[in-house]
Amino acid sequence: MSRFLFYLILVNMLANIIALTPRVLVAGNDNGTILSLILVLPVIIIVSYIIISLFRHFPGQGLPEILKTYTPKWIATPVLLFFSVCWYFAGLISLIIYTSIIIRFVTPDMHISIILLTFVLVITYGILMTPRGIFYLTEIIFLIIVPFIAFILIKGYSNFYFQWDYVRVAIMHINHLPDYAAFSSSLYISIGIANLVIFNRFFTKLKKPTWKGMALLTAICTFLLLSTYFIPVGLGGFDSLDNVLYPWIMTSDSMRMKYGVIERILFFFIGAFLVLAVVSITMLWHVSLQLLSGAVQFKRFKWKRYNLTTPFFIVCFWAIAMYEIATISLDGLYRSFRIFDEYFLPVIVFLLIGCLLLAKKGAASKWRESEK
Amino acid sequence: MTEKQGTPGLPEAPALFNELLKQLKPSEDIIHTPLQIKGHCAFLLYVKTVVDGNTLQQTVIRPFFEMASKESFSSYIQSLPNQIDMPSTSQLLNLLTVGAVLIAIGDKIFLLDFRLNKNNEVQETLMEPTIHGPQKGLSEDIETLVNLIRQRYANPSLKVESLIVKNSANQLITLLYDDDQVDPVILKEIKKRFKNIGTRLFQSAGDLQHFLNKGKFSLFPSALITERPDRIVYNLNDGKVIIAIDGSPDVIIAPVIFFDFMSSMEDNYHIFSVTTFTILLRYMGLFVCLLLPSIYVVVTSYNPDIMRLELALTVAGGRIGVPYPSFIEVFFMLFFVELLTEASMRLPKAVSSTATTVGGLILGTAATEAALTSNIMIIVISAVAISTFIIPINEMSFAIRVLRLLLLVYTILFGAVGLVVGFIGLIMLLVNKESYGRPYLSIPWMNKNDELRMDKK
């Protein structure tokens, strides 16, 4: 299994640890979070396996090319548009969450649109890179960040105030039926493999998922998913996190390095995950932009030799982001996050697999025709 | 000008000679002389200042008077090792100006190479010194240079290709590569770039490198300039192409990746633990000189709460009395350090130590005492200055100096978040860059080649 597949999954997973997913998990803690977590693991492994196997049939092609070649146009265009909007909103939600985290915990004096401006230049440059460039970027970021994250996780588990009893209390609630909100939210953070819709362009020889690779993936996913839930619960207590929007940030702020130059783990934490978030948003919006320009191209919209469609889309991206960030409330953000997870996510997964199956069928019949 | 055309009893010089003479004429160092003994004669035409007179005397003039007949002399000339094939007239003129000698015996004309080069001594390595490893670098004469490389890389697969750029100095450029190792795609790409090189004049390898780069506004060097023969051999063996220019003691290595700029040849000459330590040190130096000024701005002006309380108070205490915000302080000091670096580079050696003392010691102390900067700022800026020099290849260290400013501006505008995001932006710039089709920055794992190939197909 190519190491880049792991990055697709892990970046998405890690970038969301800090975001709203722990909040959803904690909210359902006396309901069915545990069983949802247990249930989501086989689901993501199977979904990942299916998606990788399906994309193997289309080496070096992204979803726009696949759909355009093998399916009728009235299917391809709406599906691409829908996916593009979904990916855009996934990125947008991340962006808004991180902006609100920054204004609350790092630079409270700054205007919120200036914080957004921080990202504009870098992310715009990032989404215009090639898939190869984004992968190499991810790899380097990973090498720099993973030690920090490992440090934070170890620090969390080995903390004096980390009470395994809270974890045991949380596990005791295994007898509840699975909670759909917790299930979809944890599915969301582990569905990073869906980015393959564009990043498959990089893989001209995607290998079949190996047992070793899948086992490693399962192990990492299990560890991270459980840590996402258990570390805040173990440190913060089972009942007391109910009114906290960002449980992980509260948790990390309760850790201290006695002899460090930087005393509060919080800054390590926000810094490390901010980097991952930027990479994650870059990935999501790169996918969105490519899907969008795969579906819609204005041929007349030109300045000199350059087609202005892509820059126009990017300007739209930022304009919507600017508007949303100025108007949305935290409550609205939380609700839209849940709506995205609970209603859109399953549709995306089924639609993606359905489209790929259809395209595979189309490819097979085309191949048979050319045989004749 | 020695012209003996009119002397009686001599046969006429060949028409080609007269034509060439007409074109070379008002120059003082053109020699056109007949050799004559017992009825048979020969004509010589050369430029005195670039021809090795002694060798000419030994190998041409004396044998002429010792030989019995015209035929034996012409076959003797034909067998000399420094004979060149007759080129076209315009190129002939160029060859004459760099040290060729034209000989006419009867109606046969020969061209011999008697180049005199006083510039062929091997130079010391100045820019990239090492403790172990070769102490001598390359030479300004291209033949000596190729000789030095061939001596070190005794392999028949080492190919040498020359081409003359059609500019006003007719400069000679030589490509060297190992035919077995080199990537033909990259070789083709480099040759293609030479084709549209135009008629510009190059003064050094750095000049040519700048031209070979595609983007005009590139932040990073996309080819490496070196003066070390061991680095050249090491890179030849890796399948890279060496570009040498006549008259420049440096060569260009292409394509390169980011890590090439961060490696010193010394890394190969030490034991593992020492090498690991120095490499680690180098990368830490890189991060320090890139990030430290921006970190200073963040922890003084934006987020003093990042550091532990005692340290934050010390930093704030050091800044008491400094009358402007931290970013002006940083710019102010960085500006002076850059001035100091530039000055000590350009000055003659005898003066440069004075400049450093005055600038570094006196200015630093006085600036703190006058409360123009905090003393912590002085520490930060000296750490930055020192760690800039830890980067082994000069061009990269210049590039990092510029990048540092960009990152600083981004941090000043956007604070701690700006620092983090700006840093990602820098990595994006590096990752997105290509050097002759190779990705500039990527982590080389075991199966790197597989993945590159996978990517290309």
Side-chain angles (χ1 to χ4, degrees):
Chain A
M1 243 169 108
S2 173
R3 62 181 194 274
F4 294 115
L5 289 176
F6 280 88
Y7 299 148
L8 281 182
I9 298 168
L10 290 183
V11 162
N12 200 34
M13 197 164 221
L14 287 171
N16 282 298
I17 279 188
I18 188 173
L20 288 173
T21 306
R23 168 77 211 137
V24 179
L25 295 183
V26 167
N29 61 3
D30 49 4
N31 229 331
T33 297
I34 282 291
L35 210 55
S36 314
L37 282 177
I38 294 171
L39 204 63
V40 89
L41 275 167
V43 171
I44 56 161
I45 295 301
I46 291 168
V47 168
S48 301
Y49 185 86
I50 292 174
I51 291 180
I52 296 174
S53 317
L54 282 175
F55 269 110
R56 273 185 60 231
H57 297 284
F58 308 100
Q61 286 174 301
L63 196 65
E65 294 96 280
I66 297 173
L67 287 188
K68 270 185 186 162
T69 334
Y70 302 118
T71 56
K73 204 182 171 193
W74 58 269
I75 295 183
T77 312
V79 166
L80 287 179
L81 276 178
F82 173 71
F83 277 157
S84 165
V85 171
C86 286
W87 255 269
Y88 173 71
F89 274 102
L92 186 62
I93 287 172
S94 279
L95 191 64
I96 297 177
I97 289 171
Y98 273 89
T99 315
S100 70
I101 287 173
I102 288 164
I103 203 168
R104 188 176 283 191
F105 296 99
V106 185
T107 46
D109 306 331
M110 231 184 235
H111 196 266
I112 198 152
S113 48
I114 292 182
I115 295 177
L116 188 69
L117 271 181
T118 316
F119 296 102
V120 171
L121 205 63
V122 171
I123 290 182
T124 306
Y125 188 80
I127 55 183
L128 290 172
M129 294 200 302
T130 55
R132 183 177 80 174
I134 294 179
F135 271 134
Y136 287 159
L137 169 75
T138 316
E139 189 163 24
I140 289 158
I141 295 289
F142 245 81
L143 274 187
I144 299 175
I145 290 305
V146 161
F148 285 103
I149 289 176
F151 176 73
I152 293 164
L153 289 179
I154 290 170
K155 202 78 184 154
Y157 276 119
S158 66
N159 198 299
F160 178 72
Y161 299 103
F162 185 87
Q163 296 285 328
W164 282 102
D165 283 342
Y166 288 132
V167 178
R168 287 186 197 112
V169 171
I171 295 177
M172 287 300 280
H173 287 272
I174 199 166
N175 54 348
H176 294 280
L177 278 179
D179 178 27
Y180 180 63
F183 174 81
S184 60
S185 181
S186 39
L187 183 64
Y188 169 72
I189 74 170
S190 29
I191 202 70
I193 198 70
N195 282 333
L196 217 50
V197 290
I198 288 299
F199 283 96
N200 192 42
R201 285 174 181 171
F202 174 77
F203 297 102
T204 44
K205 253 192 271 164
L206 191 57
K207 283 184 200 123
K208 206 173 182 181
T210 53
W211 274 113
K212 243 191 230 166
M214 288 316 269
L216 188 62
L217 186 65
T218 319
I220 296 174
C221 282
T222 316
F223 175 68
L224 287 178
L225 261 183
L226 294 183
S227 297
T228 308
Y229 180 48
F230 285 149
I231 290 185
V233 167
L235 268 167
F238 185 74
D239 300 315
S240 47
L241 285 176
D242 276 350
N243 297 320
V244 180
L245 186 59
Y246 301 113
W248 252 101
I249 292 184
M250 293 300 264
T251 310
S252 67
D253 208 12
S254 65
M255 296 185 233
R256 226 151 254 279
M257 276 189 292
K258 209 172 167 191
Y259 304 108
V261 175
I262 295 173
E263 202 178 10
R264 293 159 77 188
I265 296 268
L266 174 76
F267 288 105
F268 269 115
F269 184 77
I270 292 182
F273 284 91
L274 178 69
V275 172
L276 280 173
V278 172
V279 176
S280 163
I281 296 167
T282 307
M283 274 185 172
L284 291 170
W285 279 14
H286 174 77
V287 171
S288 173
L289 185 70
Q290 293 297 325
L291 289 173
L292 199 58
S293 42
V296 190
Q297 274 289 349
F298 307 117
K299 280 194 182 117
R300 292 248 186 100
F301 192 31
K302 272 185 179 175
W303 181 72
K304 288 182 183 168
R305 281 187 299 118
Y306 305 104
N307 193 324
L308 287 184
T309 318
T310 313
F312 171 71
F313 286 147
I314 293 175
V315 171
C316 287
F317 276 22
W318 287 113
I320 296 173
M322 208 54 109
Y323 173 75
E324 281 295 323
I325 230 158
T327 50
I328 201 165
S329 65
L330 276 182
D331 187 43
L333 178 66
Y334 184 62
R335 263 188 288 126
S336 47
F337 177 71
R338 292 200 43 175
I339 289 172
F340 185 84
D341 280 1
E342 288 171 24
Y343 302 108
F344 283 80
L345 191 65
V347 179
I348 293 173
V349 172
F350 284 115
L351 196 60
L352 179 60
I353 294 177
C355 281
L356 285 173
L357 284 173
L358 194 68
K360 196 183 153 195
K361 214 173 165 191
S365 66
K366 253 193 184 175
W367 179 72
R368 227 173 282 131
E369 266 170 36
S370 65
E371 279 278 278
K372 281 173 195 170
Chain B
M1 188 165 140
T2 329
E3 219 179 315
K4 289 178 185 164
Q5 249 169 308
T7 326
L10 266 181
E12 274 289 297
L16 176 67
F17 275 46
N18 292 332
E19 193 186 317
L20 287 175
L21 264 177
K22 219 177 277 168
Q23 295 197 34
L24 290 168
K25 218 167 195 177
S27 200
E28 294 244 332
D29 52 354
I30 310 291
I31 306 281
H32 175 226
T33 175
L35 305 172
Q36 193 181 24
I37 187 171
K38 278 185 230 151
H40 64 260
C41 72
F43 289 93
L44 292 183
L45 176 67
Y46 57 92
V47 181
K48 191 172 69 179
T49 40
V50 288
V51 163
D52 190 350
N54 271 340
T55 329
L56 183 66
Q57 160 77 15
Q58 295 287 332
T59 47
V60 177
I61 299 176
R62 190 187 286 172
F64 175 78
F65 291 105
E66 287 168 356
M67 291 280 172
S69 71
K70 206 194 274 184
E71 284 70 37
S72 59
F73 180 63
S74 74
S75 63
Y76 163 75
I77 292 288
Q78 210 160 15
S79 68
L80 283 178
N82 46 358
Q83 204 207 329
I84 317 172
D85 291 334
M86 203 50 139
S88 66
T89 317
S90 63
Q91 224 178 338
L92 187 63
L93 273 171
N94 292 340
L95 284 174
L96 282 176
T97 56
V98 293
V101 174
L102 207 54
I103 303 175
I105 309 163
D107 49 359
K108 282 183 191 158
I109 297 178
F110 301 100
L111 190 63
L112 296 178
D113 184 16
F114 283 106
R115 191 177 298 214
L116 173 70
N117 205 331
K118 301 233 157 139
N119 204 8
N120 57 359
E121 67 267 22
V122 180
Q123 303 195 337
E124 301 279 330
T125 50
L126 288 174
M127 300 307 293
E128 305 162 60
T130 54
I131 298 171
H132 306 288
Q135 300 298 317
K136 292 278 183 187
L138 299 169
S139 163
E140 296 201 352
D141 175 41
I142 202 156
E143 283 182 8
T144 321
L145 193 149
V146 174
N147 171 287
L148 284 171
I149 297 173
R150 277 238 188 242
Q151 294 291 350
R152 279 170 186 276
Y153 197 70
N155 194 333
S157 61
L158 175 62
K159 301 287 182 242
V160 179
E161 274 182 45
S162 293
L163 77 161
I164 292 172
V165 183
K166 291 191 178 65
N167 56 18
S168 49
N170 291 305
Q171 279 165 315
L172 180 69
I173 293 175
T174 302
L175 297 183
L176 294 111
Y177 54 88
D178 188 332
D179 208 22
D180 295 343
Q181 310 281 343
V182 77
D183 184 348
V185 182
I186 285 168
L187 188 64
K188 218 170 150 188
E189 169 76 28
I190 290 176
K191 282 185 184 167
K192 205 175 85 192
R193 298 238 179 132
F194 272 115
K195 250 179 208 158
N196 24 9
I197 202 163
T199 56
R200 245 189 54 161
L201 201 61
F202 307 109
Q203 298 302 329
S204 70
D207 210 355
L208 178 65
Q209 186 250 166
H210 190 69
F211 179 76
L212 287 177
N213 282 354
K214 254 188 197 161
K216 208 174 177 185
F217 301 106
S218 170
L219 273 172
F220 302 96
S222 68
L224 196 152
I225 295 175
T226 187
E227 53 164 8
R228 295 195 63 84
D230 49 350
R231 196 187 278 276
I232 294 173
V233 169
Y234 182 82
N235 281 301
L236 273 176
N237 197 32
D238 273 1
K240 295 187 179 168
V241 181
I242 313 289
I243 303 161
I245 306 170
D246 198 10
S248 165
D250 304 316
V251 297
I252 302 172
I253 299 176
V256 283
I257 57 169
F258 179 76
F259 297 110
D260 286 336
F261 291 96
M262 291 301 290
S263 72
S264 156
M265 285 319 287
E266 195 98 55
D267 294 348
N268 301 344
Y269 305 146
H270 285 300
I271 49 172
F272 174 75
S273 53
V274 175
T275 307
T276 317
F277 173 69
T278 44
I279 290 176
L280 214 66
L281 209 61
R282 206 171 293 148
Y283 280 94
M284 268 146 71
L286 174 72
F287 282 114
V288 164
C289 77
L290 198 57
L291 299 177
L292 207 55
S294 314
I295 290 177
Y296 180 78
V297 171
V298 168
V299 298
T300 47
S301 292
Y302 279 94
N303 287 86
D305 49 337
I306 285 182
M307 289 187 304
R308 64 184 303 117
L309 189 65
E310 296 87 336
L311 199 57
L313 286 177
T314 313
V315 173
R319 269 182 54 76
I320 290 177
V322 179
Y324 33 67
S326 64
F327 74 90
I328 292 180
E329 195 185 349
V330 173
F331 266 132
F332 178 70
M333 287 313 285
L334 261 184
F335 174 64
F336 277 108
V337 164
E338 298 292 333
L339 278 189
L340 209 66
T341 321
E342 264 318 286
S344 53
M345 239 179 264
R346 306 282 164 241
L347 277 176
K349 270 197 186 120
V351 198
S352 72
S353 61
T354 327
T356 345
T357 321
V358 172
L361 295 177
I362 302 173
L363 194 86
T365 329
T368 1
E369 273 171 14
L372 288 179
T373 60
S374 71
N375 34 19
I376 290 170
M377 184 67 234
I378 300 283
I379 300 172
V380 165
I381 226 67
S382 1
V384 166
I386 293 165
S387 48
T388 315
F389 299 127
I390 224 168
I391 300 165
I393 303 286
N394 248 318
E395 290 106 61
M396 187 47 84
S397 111
F398 289 147
I400 297 290
R401 271 161 68 187
V402 178
L403 282 192
R404 184 166 68 202
L405 283 180
L406 293 185
L407 192 63
L408 188 59
V409 169
Y410 214 74
T411 311
I412 289 166
L413 291 177
F414 301 116
V417 182
L419 174 62
V420 172
V421 176
F423 184 65
I424 304 173
L426 292 188
I427 298 179
M428 278 179 183
L429 281 177
L430 276 168
V431 161
N432 208 22
K433 189 177 163 58
E434 284 187 348
S435 165
Y436 304 92
R438 281 275 169 87
Y440 200 60
L441 179 65
S442 63
I443 305 293
W445 293 109
M446 295 288 275
N447 53 352
K448 179 182 81 170
N449 283 333
D450 293 342
E451 294 196 9
L452 276 182
R453 233 171 281 141
M454 179 171 83
D455 184 32
K456 268 207 181 120
K457 266 178 195 170

